[in-house]
């Protein structure tokens, strides 16, 4: 298994859950669970990216956090056995090591170190949700798009990943035509290249310069909390 959060655990804590892990693939656009549902499986992404979506009126939604192989999905919405407050959707296809929620809850109950590791992760996730909300309210769309692409690039495992304009628009809460216009700005600057259903990062340092400061702030929060920080190719 290649999940950084699991790798960060002490050997004894890993042994509590590893025998129960089952690898499952997830397809782009697949919903892992919906808001209001009881979450009975904890997902530890091995590759790919899962987005946590906040539901808005009129069946609209916007991404508030992205999770890759640095974390876990399924206990980030409240105590074990609580109902999910957000929708979890696979943004980039991949696979996860899945653990029954009751097994994970039992392991947490037996290990203060494991509870501490989960608390640090959820604190980092909450900070990401807050920073994303502030970013969406205050920063230009081109800066937000650059920040979001950097977040995916860290977790995607490749410079080129599958993304549609409609998918990007849904994540950022804007119209598809607007994404096309702003994407053209980044493409004109030779920061990215786009094709039908995919985006490729061409100039990582340039994309970082084009992004708002939220990306760097979140990397610093993860560093301060001692959390695994994903980066391209690792």
């Amino acid at each position: 298994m290649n999940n950084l959060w699991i790798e960060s655990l002490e050997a004894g804590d890993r042994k509590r859950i590893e025998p129960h892990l089952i690898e499952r693939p997830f397809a782009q656009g697949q919903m892992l669970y919906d808001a209001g549902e009881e979450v009975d499986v904890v997902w530890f992404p091995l590759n790919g990216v899962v987005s946590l979506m906040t539901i808005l009126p009129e069946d609209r939604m916007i991404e508030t956090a992205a999770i890759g192989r640095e974390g876990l999905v399924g206990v980030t919405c409240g105590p074990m056995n609580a109902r999910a407050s957000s929708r979890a959707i696979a943004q980039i296809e991949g696979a996860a090591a899945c653990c029954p929620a009751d097994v994970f809850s039992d392991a947490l109950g037996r290990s203060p170190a494991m509870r501490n590791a989960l608390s640090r992760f959820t604190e980092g996730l909450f900070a990401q949700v807050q920073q994303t909300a502030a970013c969406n309210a205050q920063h230009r769309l081109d800066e937000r798009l650059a920040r979001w692409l950097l977040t995916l690039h860290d977790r995607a495992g490749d410079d080129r990943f599958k993304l549609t304009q409609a998918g990007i628009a849904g994540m950022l809460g804007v119209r598809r035509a607007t994404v096309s216009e702003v994407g053209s700005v980044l493409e004109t600057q030779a920061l990215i290249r786009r094709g039908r259903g995919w985006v490729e990062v061409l100039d990582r340092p340039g994309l970082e310069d084009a992004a708002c400061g939220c990306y760097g702030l979140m990397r610093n929060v993860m560093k301060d909390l001692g959390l695994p920080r994903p980066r391209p190719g690792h």
Side-chain angles (χ1 to χ4, degrees):
M1 297 299 180
N2 196 28
N3 177 273
L4 299 179
W5 190 85
I6 293 178
E7 287 181 2
S8 72
L9 297 176
E10 297 175 0
D13 288 335
R14 290 198 303 271
K15 290 179 180 179
R16 297 180 194 276
I17 61 173
E18 284 179 338
H20 304 278
L21 297 178
I22 298 176
E23 185 171 338
R24 295 186 188 176
F26 50 78
Q28 186 176 42
Q30 178 180 338
M31 184 168 63
L32 307 189
Y33 57 77
D34 202 1
E37 292 183 351
E38 288 193 15
V39 181
D40 58 1
V41 173
V42 181
W43 301 69
F44 299 92
L46 307 175
N47 48 62
V49 182
V50 177
S51 295
L52 299 186
M53 310 296 297
T54 295
I55 308 302
L56 303 172
E58 300 177 358
D59 201 32
R60 297 174 60 226
M61 57 185 178
I62 188 170
E63 184 193 73
T64 50
I67 301 170
R69 58 188 290 262
E70 81 285 357
L72 59 156
V73 180
V75 293
T76 56
C77 50
M80 291 304 299
N81 301 320
R83 294 185 180 274
S85 59
S86 59
R87 180 179 294 172
I89 295 179
Q91 183 61 235
I92 296 178
E93 66 182 8
C98 295
C99 180
D102 57 347
V103 171
F104 188 68
S105 180
D106 181 70
L108 288 173
R110 295 172 182 271
S111 172
M114 197 171 179
R115 292 196 298 273
N116 180 60
L118 180 62
S119 294
R120 285 187 287 110
F121 172 75
T122 53
E123 184 176 344
L125 185 69
F126 183 58
Q128 183 183 169
V129 170
Q130 288 183 307
Q131 196 69 46
T132 299
C135 182
N136 289 341
Q138 296 294 325
H139 292 144
R140 298 194 317 266
L141 184 56
D142 60 317
E143 296 175 323
R144 290 168 51 199
L145 178 58
R147 183 263 303 166
W148 187 69
L149 290 174
L150 288 168
T151 300
L152 293 189
H153 190 224
D154 286 341
R155 295 161 173 81
D158 199 351
D159 291 337
R160 177 169 164 168
F161 37 90
K162 294 181 180 179
L163 278 179
T164 64
Q165 286 190 173
I168 297 172
M171 294 301 107
L172 298 178
V174 298
R175 295 184 302 111
R176 181 175 175 177
T178 303
V179 170
S180 179
E181 294 172 6
V182 176
S184 295
V185 173
L186 299 181
E187 198 165 26
T188 299
Q189 297 172 348
L191 303 179
I192 64 171
R193 181 169 56 186
R194 299 178 297 167
R196 188 174 182 83
W198 57 267
V199 173
E200 182 178 5
V201 174
L202 298 178
D203 182 354
R204 168 80 189 200
L207 197 61
E208 292 181 4
D209 289 339
C212 58
C214 294
Y215 174 76
L217 286 172
M218 281 311 308
R219 297 287 294 185
N220 289 336
V221 167
M222 296 177 74
K223 179 180 179 181
D224 291 343
L225 289 171
L227 295 171
R229 286 173 292 163
R231 54 195 178 97
H234 294 80

